[in-house]
Amino acid sequence: MYDQRRPNPARPAMTFEQMLELVRYEGAYPTLERAEEAVRTVLAALGRQVVGDERVDLAQCLPVEAALALTAQIPDTERLTGWGFVKDMAARAGVTPAVARWDAGAVLAVVTRLTGPDLLARILRHLPAGYALLFGQAELRQPQPTA
């Protein structure tokens, strides 16, 4: 009846192949297979860090194959900083931290487009320091109270 704004309006659906093409472009990967490897590695690592409603909402924004890579992971009990996230991803994938950081930037740039600003802000509020830069956002820190 009335057009009410929703915090995260529905976005046009993107297929997994379209997502891979965008990641391939962002990461300057030579093949779609390499882009898919990056997508699955980064989303699996992210799936170990994002929890709660943000995890559910993020999965809903992604193509089915990407959402499955994210949600197939059991969240870790240890909360990793952005740098810890990159180092953990590098160790699990058997690549250097530089390659893991590159992959994270390429994949998360596309994830940022799919989530929209409201959901991205919620996700970043629930993650430790260092993730905003991985998503291509400014890292705004709140001053810590002095005792």
Side-chain angles (χ1 to χ4, degrees), residues 3-83:
D3 186 27
Q4 295 181 356
R5 292 187 55 121
R6 294 185 299 172
N8 286 308
R11 302 221 182 277
M14 178 183 287
T15 67
F16 189 58
E17 289 74 24
Q18 290 169 325
M19 182 181 190
L20 293 180
E21 282 292 345
L22 285 174
V23 170
R24 180 179 177 194
Y25 176 79
E26 287 289 333
Y29 297 118
T31 64
L32 281 179
E33 290 76 21
R34 177 62 184 97
E36 182 173 356
E37 179 184 323
V39 166
R40 292 188 186 282
T41 299
V42 172
L43 290 179
L46 191 61
R48 290 188 290 274
Q49 296 299 311
V50 178
V51 296
D53 290 339
E54 289 73 29
R55 178 183 175 97
V56 172
D57 293 345
L58 175 57
Q60 289 176 341
C61 293
L62 300 172
V64 172
E65 297 89 340
L68 290 173
L70 177 88
T71 58
Q73 302 301 310
I74 297 171
D76 282 344
T77 55
E78 179 185 1
R79 308 305 302 162
L80 299 174
T81 64
W83 177 236

Side-chain angles (χ1 to χ4, degrees), residues 84-139:
F85 172 81
V86 170
K87 290 191 309 186
D88 180 64
M89 191 170 47
R92 290 175 188 255
V95 299
T96 66
V99 170
R101 172 60 182 94
W102 184 270
D103 289 349
V107 173
L108 296 178
V110 175
V111 170
T112 297
R113 293 181 198 167
L114 291 170
T115 61
D118 296 335
L119 177 55
L120 181 59
R122 284 181 31 224
I123 291 169
L124 291 175
R125 270 195 305 273
H126 289 91
L127 290 171
Y131 282 88
L133 294 174
L134 296 174
F135 281 93
Q137 305 293 305
E139 180 87 35

